[in-house]
Amino acid sequence: MIGSNTIRVVLNTYAYTRKVFYHARSRQLNDTVSKLLSSKKEKSVNKDVDEDAKTILKVPRGTRDYHPQQMKIREDVFRNIIDSFKQHGATTIDTPVMELTTLLREKYGEDSKLIYELKEHENEDLLALRYDLTVPFARYISQNKISAMKRYHIGKVYRLDSPKMTRGRYREFYQCDFDIAGAYDPMIPDAECVKILIEILDKLALGQYRVSINHRKLLDAIFTVCGVPAKIFRSLSSTIDKLDKIPWEVARNEMINERGLSPEIADKIWSYVQLHGNVELIDRLRKDSQLISEKLAVEALHDLELLFRYLKLFNVTDKVVFDLKLARGLDYYTGVIFEAILTEYQYNPQLDDDQIAMGSIAGGGRYDELVQKIDPKQRRVPCVGISIGVERIFAIKEHQSLESKDQLKILSTEVYVASAEKHLLEERMKVCNFLWENGFQTEMAYRQNPKLLDQLQYCEKYHIGLCIIIGNTELNNGTVKIRHVNTREEFVIPREQLVEQLTLHLSKIRQR
Amino acid sequence: MIGSNTIRVVLNTYAYTRKVFYHARSRQLNDTVSKLLSSKKEKSVNKDVDEDAKTILKVPRGTRDYHPQQMKIREDVFRNIIDSFKQHGATTIDTPVMELTTLLREKYGEDSKLIYELKEHENEDLLALRYDLTVPFARYISQNKISAMKRYHIGKVYRLDSPKMTRGRYREFYQCDFDIAGAYDPMIPDAECVKILIEILDKLALGQYRVSINHRKLLDAIFTVCGVPAKIFRSLSSTIDKLDKIPWEVARNEMINERGLSPEIADKIWSYVQLHGNVELIDRLRKDSQLISEKLAVEALHDLELLFRYLKLFNVTDKVVFDLKLARGLDYYTGVIFEAILTEYQYNPQLDDDQIAMGSIAGGGRYDELVQKIDPKQRRVPCVGISIGVERIFAIKEHQSLESKDQLKILSTEVYVASAEKHLLEERMKVCNFLWENGFQTEMAYRQNPKLLDQLQYCEKYHIGLCIIIGNTELNNGTVKIRHVNTREEFVIPREQLVEQLTLHLSKIRQR
């Protein structure tokens, strides 16, 4: 476990300014990660193949294979994430990759067009690939009449997006979700979600980050105060949500030309959404008599005050920012919303389009009405949760692994059974079988008469610590030779001591 | 790890007869497993919902949710399987859930109609959900120009079948595959595949089983000798493959009426495919001068002789049967084929259709031409592998878990932080936070003032070993109370000793 002291969190919430200055380290990281992501793309999408076979030898657009080295990194990331979810008492469930299309419709606002449908079949329900893990969770809660549940779910989700692999945007990608369903006292589960998110980001050691926090009800109150018609609240949220990636002027134009707002309304919105800070901003907003005349604003500020109070008890206020431009794209949020941003990888106007917006790696919030909307009896089960977008995390961990001197050991094999002489296949098989039955991670060459050099090179390539070498001399003397692959030391031991001697030599290697 | 001695393998390969007698235990097991599978079906497909919402509150036909208890069992099964794969030096990869439809076509013989296609999109490749993990593996090998690889892959696959959940047949289901790609000396990797399969079945302790072995070239030689036209070899294999599930008379009719064979040819085929036994059957077939005049038969018998020799060195011949009616449905096999059958759950003519054929839980074989068929340069990479169908294994393990007295602990939580008095939420939060930061698996109630009884009941329900109780007395005295949930013993300790005392009490609980 990596302690939080290894994270260079230099974020000062007081001095925090929205404008991000170009600096060398950030640029270099962005470049490397972009290269990693796009090399992956080239590798998996278009290998140099004959023209006529070109349609076969590729993966679908926006998807990719994971190679063994990548799987090793992925497994480590998942293990870290799952350990935290479990530490906080979550169970896990799994749901089908496809859901009824009727379930998914009208849940994602403007993004609903990205739902990936399956081919229609006679007498069968229309099906689509799941867009996230949240709507399937709400369906699960409703269908099984559950009133309270804390669960995590790790699974692939699908979006028929224009894939931008260099930005970590795939059509098939993993989400790691943790949600708390149930009617509880305000902000207690919400605070735990933020706490877990921060624990995970600290453990993963991805570099500087902050967690932005806002409240949907506060946004709605602001929109009301600014004179925005209620029917465009959600689509306006999508515009606001882009303020991390587009300059204000672009967003302003969109508000005026696409959403039909007047310049005055747009500018008044800007006077609010550019605000950010810490808990003191809550007090400042409370002095805004126009805003505070809205019931929703009072409720939101009360929630946020409680949340910041609990986050202080959880010792994480230095990682969070109250940020009024955080809106989150999805329709279903109803309360507190949050988003984790890697500040070393965030929006930089000097980088081209393919390199921006790597920053957001997790988000979440409260969605109190989604189960009710789905449930045939309108049963209400309030929920709050976080969703971690791990593809970008994988890319960063790959980058760190390439930079590091420690070699990635992708094989578990600890002992290799080799021979220097011919006609000893069956003897190698016997030794292997003996070692398997005694629980050792063991391999041998699948050849009658492999060359010793090839066998040793395999051990070196895959970082296998020990090699057992058998020859006719050893067979006649009832011995075997144990070789340390790294140091090339060799030890001849009686064959009947094989298990204990191997155990001993392996523990020596592990201590190094 | 469960030793092989816990498996009651009473299979006598000499006395083995195809006819399966009804016996009480087998019937009872079949019934329970069928019930388990079908209750799952009812649960997940048709909850009692209002008529108009019925279309929403279900999972797609042939799919299911996994509940926390099932996930616990699933994770245990996967862990056992993965441990074995890793012990034999396999890496792992992952591929997209969808592949180009062109890749999947013409790879599965008669089953190609079961391929699950996605909705067509303009300017996009036609896509389908993967049917198995073998063709994607061959695509991966070819696309990445790999000449040798030992990998496992665990993932969901999709078949647009008429789902029979009571028989463990789903449209979405997991496969666990282990494959060895590469040009090696004959039968060495093949023997290791069988060895691994047997290791896994022993560890999982699913009851009696056998592994049937046959050879595609031997079947082809038999078909030739019997006078079958070459063009129906593969479709005839599908008929032969069903002999575990349908009586000979039904298969004979299918051969005559659907495949267009004469009764004489059909009966001659039967004279071969009813044969089964051990390594001695190889010698018996070698005396069949008509068969042995076929080159393919000579090659197959040579392979099988080697394989049985290696399996003897691997100490597993008591689990395998040379069975000439084993054919395997899929088109791509070219050499040795195998299948693992749970003999307590196998075909029984006295049970109705929904209860038969639970037996086969794993299969595999050699497919030397699949990569070549896909590769644009016809590069040949011989492969052999096994595929474990885990849905049936999950059902059996669930049955075992229900029968067992040991309660399934689905939460990792080891310490619960409770209070008996009001207004102590923030104190509980502080203690929780302290325990999280010290690595304890900790939970608390998400309420301002929870009832002590509710908190203790939660601990009992989820088998949480320890409960920390804080009240105003403890706060004033700088102490906390540790309660053992099971025995109800309580210990008051100084708060500064919390970490060491908890560690001590937890180790006591684990020893029980």
Side-chain angles (χ1 to χ4, degrees):
Chain A
M1 198 155 102
I2 298 154
S4 60
N5 58 337
T6 63
I7 314 287
R8 293 135 298 136
V9 180
V10 295
L11 181 74
N12 181 328
T13 54
Y14 288 87
Y16 166 66
T17 58
R18 195 181 148 267
K19 194 166 170 199
V20 179
F21 294 99
Y22 175 90
H23 71 94
R25 176 167 162 72
S26 166
R27 168 107 208 191
Q28 183 203 326
L29 278 173
N30 275 330
D31 284 357
T32 322
V33 171
S34 286
K35 257 182 235 152
L36 262 171
L37 286 164
S38 64
S39 82
K40 213 171 290 159
K41 177 186 174 183
E42 282 155 27
K43 233 188 252 170
S44 59
V45 175
N46 265 318
K47 295 292 287 187
D48 48 331
V49 294
D50 293 348
E51 204 53 40
D52 59 338
K54 216 171 190 171
T55 49
I56 291 185
L57 278 195
K58 62 179 187 183
V59 293
R61 193 167 164 229
T63 71
R64 59 158 164 164
D65 292 323
Y66 292 85
H67 306 290
Q69 293 82 351
Q70 296 170 329
M71 287 298 282
K72 186 80 189 166
I73 289 166
R74 180 174 121 177
E75 281 168 6
D76 288 347
V77 169
F78 282 161
R79 206 197 52 246
N80 270 309
I81 293 174
I82 291 172
D83 281 354
S84 281
F85 291 163
K86 282 188 174 170
Q87 200 194 356
H88 288 258
T91 57
T92 187
I93 64 164
D94 193 17
T95 65
V97 154
M98 59 271 251
E99 293 277 354
L100 268 63
T101 309
T102 47
L103 176 75
L104 302 186
R105 274 187 198 137
E106 292 167 33
K107 302 296 183 304
Y108 302 105
E110 299 207 329
D111 285 345
S112 290
K113 60 182 183 296
L114 305 181
I115 289 170
Y116 224 131
E117 287 178 89
L118 272 79
K119 197 170 165 179
E120 222 176 307
H121 286 275
E122 221 176 302
N123 301 320
E124 301 262 359
D125 295 309
L126 284 179
L127 301 180
L129 298 178
R130 61 186 174 202
Y131 180 91
D132 65 5
L133 303 174
T134 308
V135 171
F137 177 56
R139 194 258 310 142
Y140 181 87
I141 289 287
S142 173
Q143 185 173 325
N144 294 287
K145 299 193 169 63
I146 293 164
S147 59
M149 182 177 212
K150 180 156 58 172
R151 80 89 182 82
Y152 70 89
H153 187 183
I154 293 187
K156 287 175 174 176
V157 302
Y158 299 83
R159 296 183 187 181
L160 196 49
D161 217 338
S162 351
K164 292 217 171 146
M165 265 102 120
T166 48
R167 289 166 64 169
R169 201 160 81 190
Y170 294 90
R171 286 184 170 177
E172 175 185 64
F173 58 97
Y174 267 100
Q175 282 193 337
C176 301
D177 281 24
F178 171 96
D179 294 81
I180 300 172
Y184 296 115
D185 285 326
M187 295 301 113
I188 311 175
D190 311 58
E192 189 163 345
C193 284
V194 176
K195 168 74 180 171
I196 290 172
L197 184 53
I198 286 170
E199 273 180 7
I200 289 171
L201 292 175
D202 282 351
K203 265 201 293 182
L204 291 176
L206 303 167
Q208 296 170 34
Y209 68 91
R210 67 161 190 276
V211 175
S212 294
I213 293 182
N214 199 7
H215 201 296
R216 269 281 166 92
K217 287 182 181 171
L218 182 62
L219 273 178
D220 286 358
I222 289 169
F223 294 160
T224 306
V225 163
C226 295
V228 177
K231 68 174 190 300
I232 70 156
F233 278 11
R234 285 292 72 79
S235 60
L236 185 57
S237 289
S238 298
T239 304
I240 303 288
D241 196 51
K242 285 187 280 188
L243 280 171
D244 242 350
K245 296 160 229 162
I246 58 174
W248 163 242
E249 291 66 31
V250 180
R252 186 177 185 272
N253 278 340
E254 191 175 309
M255 286 183 188
I256 296 166
N257 301 326
E258 289 177 38
R259 312 286 176 208
L261 297 179
S262 70
E264 293 71 33
I265 290 180
D267 292 334
K268 189 161 184 191
I269 293 172
W270 177 237
S271 74
Y272 281 108
V273 298
Q274 65 180 300
L275 300 173
H276 51 262
N278 61 7
V279 66
E280 287 166 18
L281 183 53
I282 297 173
D283 293 332
R284 211 174 120 197
L285 291 171
R286 280 207 169 116
K287 288 175 190 134
D288 181 333
S289 59
Q290 200 189 359
L291 185 64
I292 222 69
S293 68
E294 291 297 323
K295 191 167 155 269
L296 288 179
V298 177
E299 288 174 14
L301 292 173
H302 180 256
D303 275 355
L304 287 166
E305 188 180 29
L306 257 186
L307 179 64
F308 274 90
R309 186 180 174 88
Y310 295 156
L311 291 180
K312 198 171 175 197
L313 293 172
F314 286 163
N315 219 1
V316 292
T317 36
D318 58 329
K319 316 280 175 64
V320 298
V321 178
F322 176 22
D323 187 347
L324 270 73
K325 76 170 180 307
L326 176 70
R328 306 282 302 151
L330 300 172
D331 263 20
Y332 47 64
Y333 293 116
T334 55
V336 159
I337 46 179
F338 23 79
E339 187 164 282
I341 292 131
L342 297 180
T343 47
E344 289 175 53
Y345 298 85
Q346 86 190 101
Y347 171 56
N348 183 334
Q350 296 189 39
L351 301 179
D352 66 27
D353 180 62
D354 265 5
Q355 288 171 303
I356 64 167
M358 275 290 296
S360 167
I361 48 156
R366 179 158 282 284
Y367 50 103
D368 283 349
E369 288 158 19
L370 187 58
V371 174
Q372 187 174 19
K373 202 170 165 185
I374 286 167
D375 195 87
K377 290 180 174 146
Q378 281 81 53
R379 201 170 54 95
R380 191 168 183 275
V381 183
C383 299
V384 63
I386 49 172
S387 180
I388 303 172
V390 280
E391 307 298 333
R392 288 167 188 181
I393 295 176
F394 297 154
I396 293 164
K397 296 312 283 182
E398 271 182 67
H399 165 69
Q400 290 177 351
S401 161
L402 288 175
E403 297 260 295
S404 138
K405 294 225 165 17
D406 299 335
Q407 297 216 288
L408 209 58
K409 184 165 162 51
I410 58 164
L411 286 192
S412 303
T413 314
E414 47 193 5
V415 188
Y416 194 87
V417 178
S419 61
E421 294 156 58
K422 288 192 170 181
H423 312 303
L424 291 176
L425 168 66
E426 299 196 1
E427 290 302 328
R428 281 187 289 128
M429 282 182 147
K430 274 188 225 163
V431 174
C432 264
N433 195 54
F434 176 76
L435 294 180
W436 288 329
E437 283 173 1
N438 283 281
F440 291 97
Q441 322 275 314
T442 307
E443 277 190 277
M444 53 169 264
Y446 298 128
R447 299 202 175 280
Q448 289 277 354
N449 302 310
K451 287 180 192 150
L452 186 62
L453 188 65
D454 291 346
Q455 297 171 80
L456 293 176
Q457 278 176 344
Y458 184 92
C459 295
E460 281 175 14
K461 183 175 175 191
Y462 290 107
H463 313 293
I464 299 169
L466 295 181
C467 185
I468 288 177
I469 302 174
I470 47 173
N472 285 311
T473 318
E474 284 81 11
L475 281 175
N476 292 334
N477 298 342
T479 59
V480 293
K481 202 186 272 173
I482 297 181
R483 179 185 167 110
H484 284 241
V485 175
N486 262 348
T487 63
R488 300 184 183 187
E489 291 169 282
E490 292 186 338
F491 304 84
V492 176
I493 58 143
R495 189 145 167 180
E496 65 268 21
Q497 289 179 17
L498 189 51
V499 169
E500 54 204 287
Q501 287 287 332
L502 270 185
T503 310
L504 204 70
H505 283 275
L506 283 173
S507 74
K508 268 187 211 162
I509 286 178
R510 282 192 206 104
Q511 279 161 20
R512 261 178 219 151
Chain B
M1 199 155 102
I2 297 154
S4 60
N5 57 336
T6 62
I7 314 285
R8 293 135 299 135
V9 179
V10 295
L11 180 74
N12 182 326
T13 54
Y14 289 86
Y16 166 67
T17 58
R18 192 178 153 271
K19 194 167 167 196
V20 180
F21 294 100
Y22 175 89
H23 72 93
R25 177 166 159 72
S26 166
R27 168 107 209 192
Q28 185 204 326
L29 280 172
N30 274 330
D31 284 359
T32 324
V33 171
S34 287
K35 258 181 234 152
L36 263 171
L37 286 163
S38 63
S39 82
K40 212 171 293 161
K41 178 186 173 182
E42 282 155 28
K43 235 189 250 169
S44 59
V45 175
N46 265 316
K47 297 289 288 186
D48 47 332
V49 295
D50 293 349
E51 203 54 39
D52 58 338
K54 215 172 191 173
T55 49
I56 291 184
L57 279 194
K58 62 178 186 183
V59 293
R61 195 169 162 226
T63 71
R64 59 158 164 163
D65 293 324
Y66 290 85
H67 307 291
Q69 294 82 350
Q70 295 170 330
M71 287 298 282
K72 185 82 189 161
I73 288 166
R74 182 175 117 174
E75 281 168 6
D76 287 346
V77 169
F78 281 162
R79 207 196 53 247
N80 270 307
I81 292 174
I82 290 172
D83 282 353
S84 282
F85 291 163
K86 283 188 174 169
Q87 199 193 357
H88 288 258
T91 57
T92 187
I93 64 165
D94 193 18
T95 65
V97 154
M98 59 269 252
E99 294 277 353
L100 268 62
T101 310
T102 47
L103 176 76
L104 302 186
R105 275 187 197 136
E106 292 167 33
K107 303 295 182 304
Y108 302 105
E110 300 208 327
D111 286 346
S112 291
K113 60 183 184 297
L114 305 181
I115 289 170
Y116 225 129
E117 288 177 85
L118 273 79
K119 198 172 165 177
E120 223 177 304
H121 287 275
E122 223 176 303
N123 301 322
E124 301 262 359
D125 295 307
L126 284 179
L127 302 179
L129 299 177
R130 64 185 171 205
Y131 180 90
D132 64 6
L133 303 174
T134 309
V135 171
F137 177 56
R139 195 259 309 142
Y140 181 87
I141 289 286
S142 172
Q143 185 173 324
N144 294 288
K145 298 194 169 65
I146 292 164
S147 58
M149 182 176 212
K150 180 155 60 173
R151 81 88 184 79
Y152 69 88
H153 187 182
I154 293 187
K156 286 175 174 178
V157 300
Y158 298 84
R159 298 185 186 179
L160 195 49
D161 215 338
S162 350
K164 294 216 170 147
M165 267 103 121
T166 47
R167 288 166 64 169
R169 201 159 84 189
Y170 294 91
R171 285 184 170 177
E172 174 185 65
F173 58 97
Y174 267 101
Q175 283 194 335
C176 300
D177 281 23
F178 171 95
D179 294 81
I180 301 171
Y184 296 116
D185 285 326
M187 296 300 111
I188 310 176
D190 312 60
E192 189 162 344
C193 285
V194 175
K195 169 73 180 175
I196 291 172
L197 183 54
I198 286 170
E199 272 179 10
I200 290 170
L201 292 176
D202 282 352
K203 264 201 292 183
L204 291 176
L206 305 167
Q208 296 171 34
Y209 70 91
R210 66 159 191 276
V211 175
S212 296
I213 293 182
N214 199 8
H215 201 295
R216 268 282 166 89
K217 287 182 182 171
L218 182 63
L219 274 178
D220 286 358
I222 289 169
F223 294 161
T224 306
V225 163
C226 294
V228 177
K231 67 175 193 298
I232 70 157
F233 278 11
R234 286 291 72 79
S235 61
L236 185 58
S237 289
S238 298
T239 306
I240 303 288
D241 197 53
K242 283 187 280 188
L243 280 172
D244 242 350
K245 296 159 227 159
I246 57 173
W248 161 242
E249 291 67 33
V250 180
R252 187 176 184 271
N253 278 339
E254 190 176 309
M255 286 183 189
I256 295 167
N257 301 325
E258 289 178 38
R259 312 288 175 207
L261 298 179
S262 70
E264 293 71 33
I265 291 181
D267 291 335
K268 191 162 181 189
I269 293 171
W270 177 238
S271 75
Y272 281 107
V273 298
Q274 66 180 302
L275 299 175
H276 51 262
N278 62 8
V279 66
E280 287 167 17
L281 182 53
I282 298 173
D283 293 331
R284 213 175 117 195
L285 291 171
R286 281 204 168 121
K287 289 179 191 129
D288 182 332
S289 57
Q290 203 190 354
L291 185 65
I292 223 70
S293 68
E294 292 296 323
K295 191 167 153 267
L296 288 179
V298 177
E299 288 173 15
L301 292 174
H302 181 255
D303 276 356
L304 288 167
E305 189 180 26
L306 257 184
L307 179 64
F308 274 89
R309 187 181 173 89
Y310 295 155
L311 292 179
K312 199 172 173 193
L313 292 172
F314 286 163
N315 219 2
V316 293
T317 37
D318 58 329
K319 315 279 176 63
V320 298
V321 178
F322 176 22
D323 187 348
L324 270 74
K325 75 172 181 303
L326 176 70
R328 306 284 299 154
L330 300 173
D331 264 20
Y332 48 63
Y333 293 116
T334 56
V336 158
I337 45 179
F338 23 78
E339 187 165 283
I341 293 134
L342 297 179
T343 47
E344 290 175 52
Y345 299 84
Q346 87 189 101
Y347 172 56
N348 182 336
Q350 296 189 39
L351 301 178
D352 65 28
D353 181 61
D354 265 5
Q355 287 170 302
I356 65 167
M358 276 289 294
S360 168
I361 49 156
R366 179 158 281 283
Y367 51 103
D368 283 349
E369 289 156 20
L370 187 59
V371 174
Q372 187 174 18
K373 202 171 164 182
I374 287 168
D375 195 88
K377 289 181 177 148
Q378 282 78 54
R379 200 171 54 94
R380 191 169 184 273
V381 183
C383 299
V384 62
I386 49 174
S387 181
I388 302 173
V390 280
E391 307 298 333
R392 287 167 188 182
I393 295 176
F394 298 154
I396 293 164
K397 297 312 283 185
E398 271 181 65
H399 164 70
Q400 290 177 350
S401 160
L402 289 176
E403 296 259 295
S404 135
K405 296 228 163 17
D406 299 334
Q407 297 216 288
L408 211 57
K409 182 164 163 51
I410 59 165
L411 287 191
S412 303
T413 314
E414 47 194 3
V415 188
Y416 194 88
V417 179
S419 62
E421 295 156 55
K422 286 191 173 182
H423 313 302
L424 290 177
L425 169 66
E426 299 196 2
E427 290 302 328
R428 281 186 290 129
M429 280 183 149
K430 275 190 226 164
V431 175
C432 263
N433 195 55
F434 176 75
L435 294 180
W436 287 329
E437 283 174 1
N438 283 280
F440 291 97
Q441 323 275 312
T442 307
E443 278 189 277
M444 54 169 265
Y446 297 128
R447 298 201 173 280
Q448 289 276 355
N449 301 308
K451 287 179 190 152
L452 186 62
L453 188 65
D454 290 347
Q455 298 171 78
L456 293 175
Q457 278 176 346
Y458 184 91
C459 295
E460 281 175 15
K461 184 176 173 191
Y462 290 107
H463 313 292
I464 299 170
L466 296 180
C467 185
I468 288 176
I469 302 173
I470 47 175
N472 286 311
T473 318
E474 284 83 13
L475 282 174
N476 293 335
N477 298 343
T479 58
V480 292
K481 202 187 271 173
I482 297 180
R483 180 186 165 110
H484 284 242
V485 175
N486 261 348
T487 63
R488 301 182 181 187
E489 291 169 281
E490 292 185 340
F491 304 84
V492 176
I493 58 141
R495 189 145 165 180
E496 65 269 21
Q497 288 178 18
L498 189 51
V499 169
E500 54 204 287
Q501 287 287 333
L502 269 186
T503 311
L504 204 70
H505 283 275
L506 281 173
S507 73
K508 268 188 210 160
I509 285 178
R510 282 192 205 105
Q511 279 160 21
R512 261 178 218 150

